[in-house]
Amino acid sequence: MSREEIGPRVVGGKLMYNRAVRIDEPRSWLYVAGHEARDDDGSIAHKGDMAGQIRLTLRRLGETVAEGGMTMADVVHIRVFTTDISACKAEYGVLMDELEALRCRPASLLAEVSALSDPDMLIEIEAVAAR
């Protein structure tokens, strides 16, 4: 498999997102449903804390990706849905730092929605990985 990042947008020396990621001849694809900041008991954690929800959501996403036999470095696309785009953009550095630490360099989407499945959710992230 080969991977090519197309149109990377870098801010402050860090990748903000890629406009596209080209994958040639992958062996496997993993489509990951939306993940949120849920504690082990299933309740939403970090209520009102965008940065905390970003970190836990990415951790939960990484756990699922690992269960699928891949790593976050294999993620080629993420969609980030938030109920408060201003708060999310204010904490976007947290998302960039977390993704950088995971060697995750996806194409991405950031969109504000009117509601998520739980009123305490501030963010939900879904992904596609390829290897």
Side-chain angles (χ1 to χ4, degrees):
M1 179 187 92
S2 67
R3 175 187 173 122
E4 176 187 0
E5 296 177 1
I6 299 167
R9 182 160 182 216
V10 176
V11 175
K14 293 183 180 178
L15 177 72
M16 185 172 213
Y17 65 90
N18 283 306
R19 294 193 183 277
V21 177
R22 180 181 172 146
I23 303 294
D24 290 318
E25 301 181 33
R27 292 183 321 233
S28 297
W29 290 93
L30 180 66
Y31 292 86
V32 185
H35 279 59
E36 59 282 326
R38 291 201 184 269
D39 276 332
D40 291 336
D41 68 1
S43 62
I44 296 298
H46 307 289
K47 294 177 185 171
D49 175 8
M50 181 66 74
Q53 285 199 12
I54 290 170
R55 286 185 189 99
L56 182 53
T57 298
L58 286 174
R59 190 174 101 214
R60 295 295 188 213
L61 188 70
E63 291 167 356
T64 299
V65 168
E67 282 183 54
M70 297 194 187
T71 71
M72 287 297 287
D74 297 317
V75 171
V76 296
H77 190 254
I78 61 171
R79 289 182 191 92
V80 179
F81 301 99
T82 181
T83 56
D84 187 343
I85 202 155
S86 294
C88 189
K89 287 168 71 175
E91 298 293 347
Y92 209 74
V94 171
L95 181 66
M96 290 189 310
D97 290 346
E98 293 288 319
L99 292 175
E100 182 178 30
L102 296 165
R103 295 184 16 239
C104 182
R105 299 179 58 88
S108 64
L109 166 94
L110 172 61
E112 183 175 80
V113 295
S114 61
L116 293 166
S117 62
D118 185 302
D120 291 323
M121 289 170 56
L122 301 174
I123 192 164
E124 185 169 354
I125 302 174
E126 63 180 33
V128 176
R131 179 182 281 174

